[in-house]
Amino acid sequence: MSSPIQTGLLAFGMSGRIFHAPFVQAHAGFQLRAVVERSRKQAQQHYPTVISYDSVAELLADEELELVIINTPNDTHFALAKRALQAGKHVLIEKPVATTVAELDELLTLAAAQNRHVLAYQNRRWDSDFQLVRQVVASGQLGELTEVHFRFDRYKAALNTKTFKEDPAVPGSGLSFDLGPHVLDQALSLFGQPERAHLTRASHRPGSRVDDYFHAHLQYPRGLNVFVTGSLLTAAPVPAYVLHGTLGSFQKSRADVQETQLDQGLPPTASEYGLEPAAAAGTLTVVPAPGQIQVSSLPASTGNYLGLFEAVFQTLRNGQPYPIRAKELRWQLEILEGRG
């Protein structure tokens, strides 16, 4: 058996505690070796053997580390990933992997020169609700798709207390760079590169200086139109996924429970982990013959972000292609940059 991938986290705040450390711990192919904690030292309360470094420089100097997870603010991703690659580490970068196409291309070029990997942490591909959407599309039950809507809505009228998220001068600020990469990645992973894309941004919260609403219209061959939307002022959410095709329609709420369960301390190895409530089942409506309509409920499969870490393991240890491809990241950033 290969040795575990010695892994370091650049922060142990909410993302490190919820989205990364539990999976590094749960997967036998990884070892959580080190974290960066500049002030509050909390990681060892959960992971007694972990090394807590005071700075990124100290962590990157650790010769035992093979993989560094970049889970810091959006505007730092490029610079920190570049430093990690230069230190000879593979990198797993939270969304967005960069804030421009030029930054992404520079990271990919550097990684190739260093014989290292740039991997994107697009965990929402492993949401239970999106897994069901993927299954419905692959089944062909809807016929040829004509119109698709993906939404990621919240209601947060107050400005974020993390001021860098509300500063338009900070690269990667605003909702389009926060939630946009999630729904764009889902759409692009299913449908590929659009022929044309148009992005609209708006600000509606009192005092907001960054976008708190975005809407991308992706146009595909044969008349398929895909609409990707996010809002911070949606008090009564509509279905997150709506798909229409020549043979029927499907709709589903955003109901993945992983984040809530992880925040409550449930490990990803628990039997109830990732299971949606039955009431959140999707609705499939098909027309088997003229004048006939059949409506059925489709329960979601189990969500599990451990699938992403398994993909990382297979890439680093067995040379398997990583499912989140560089070209998909480039398409995403082209849309966020407003390149139609």
Side-chain angles (χ1 to χ4, degrees):
M1 273 185 80
S2 59
S3 60
I5 298 168
Q6 297 297 314
T7 303
L9 276 171
L10 291 194
F12 196 72
M14 184 260 199
S15 71
R17 178 177 58 85
I18 292 179
F19 292 116
H20 299 291
F23 299 97
V24 175
Q25 178 78 2
H27 195 298
F30 294 85
Q31 173 67 46
L32 182 59
R33 175 175 172 81
V35 300
V36 175
E37 296 179 290
R38 293 173 179 81
S39 52
R40 293 185 297 173
K41 300 287 186 176
Q42 299 178 324
Q44 289 180 347
Q45 298 174 22
H46 305 273
Y47 308 98
T49 63
V50 75
I51 302 169
S52 180
Y53 288 114
D54 295 328
S55 69
V56 171
E58 289 178 325
L59 182 139
L60 294 181
D62 187 332
E63 296 183 356
E64 297 296 318
L65 283 178
E66 185 177 352
L67 172 68
V68 172
I69 298 176
I70 314 294
N71 61 322
T72 52
N74 293 354
D75 61 305
T76 67
H77 290 180
F78 169 69
L80 291 175
K82 185 175 179 179
R83 287 175 61 185
L85 289 168
Q86 290 170 334
K89 319 297 186 187
H90 301 290
V91 291
L92 176 62
I93 313 173
E94 283 194 342
K95 55 80 193 169
V97 289
T99 58
T100 66
V101 173
E103 288 180 348
L104 172 63
D105 287 342
E106 186 172 343
L107 290 179
L108 294 172
T109 299
L110 177 59
Q114 295 285 94
N115 195 27
R116 293 295 180 265
H117 287 280
V118 170
L119 307 173
Y121 181 79
Q122 294 280 180
N123 61 316
R124 297 292 178 176
R125 289 199 191 187
W126 284 267
D127 276 357
S128 56
D129 40 51
F130 180 66
Q131 291 292 311
L132 180 57
V133 170
R134 183 185 291 279
Q135 292 167 20
V136 169
V137 171
S139 74
Q141 294 176 87
L142 301 181
E144 183 174 355
L145 291 174
T146 59
E147 180 182 355
V148 172
H149 297 261
F150 286 1
R151 295 189 66 103
F152 204 144
D153 293 323
R154 292 172 173 166
Y155 187 85
K156 292 186 175 181
L159 300 185
N160 199 303
T161 56
K162 297 178 180 179
T163 55
F164 66 86
K165 290 193 172 186
E166 300 286 355
D167 186 348
V170 175
S173 60
L175 191 67
S176 57
F177 272 96
D178 184 20
L179 299 184
H182 286 316
V183 278
L184 283 171
D185 178 71
Q186 290 180 339
L188 295 171
S189 72
L190 279 183
F191 306 117
Q193 184 180 23
E195 290 185 332
R196 289 177 298 279
H198 177 74
L199 178 67
T200 299
R201 294 181 171 101
S203 299
H204 298 293
R205 296 166 302 154
S208 178
R209 297 188 298 141
V210 298
D211 61 276
D212 46 38
Y213 170 89
F214 67 87
H215 177 81
H217 179 191
L218 314 181
Q219 295 176 279
Y220 288 89
R222 299 180 61 83
L224 171 61
N225 286 280
V226 176
F227 304 94
V228 173
T229 308
S231 171
L232 287 182
L233 289 177
T234 303
V238 296
Y241 305 96
V242 177
L243 298 86
H244 301 295
T246 54
L247 298 180
S249 299
F250 176 76
Q251 66 178 30
K252 175 76 174 71
S253 63
R254 186 173 296 281
D256 187 88
V257 297
Q258 292 181 82
E259 182 175 344
T260 299
Q261 291 179 328
L262 292 164
D263 197 23
Q264 294 170 346
L266 188 73
T269 52
S271 59
E272 66 270 35
Y273 178 79
L275 297 176
E276 285 190 10
T283 300
L284 176 68
T285 304
V286 296
V287 183
Q292 297 181 11
I293 295 179
Q294 294 180 354
V295 181
S296 57
S297 294
L298 300 182
S301 58
T302 303
N304 198 340
Y305 299 149
L306 200 58
L308 182 147
F309 287 87
E310 173 63 15
V312 172
F313 175 80
Q314 291 298 332
T315 295
L316 297 188
R317 283 290 180 264
N318 298 320
Q320 295 298 313
Y322 192 59
I324 302 157
R325 299 173 294 176
K327 63 182 181 181
E328 293 167 338
L329 301 174
R330 185 175 288 107
W331 300 338
Q332 180 188 126
L333 286 171
E334 287 174 348
I335 294 169
L336 290 172
E337 283 192 272
R339 303 185 190 186

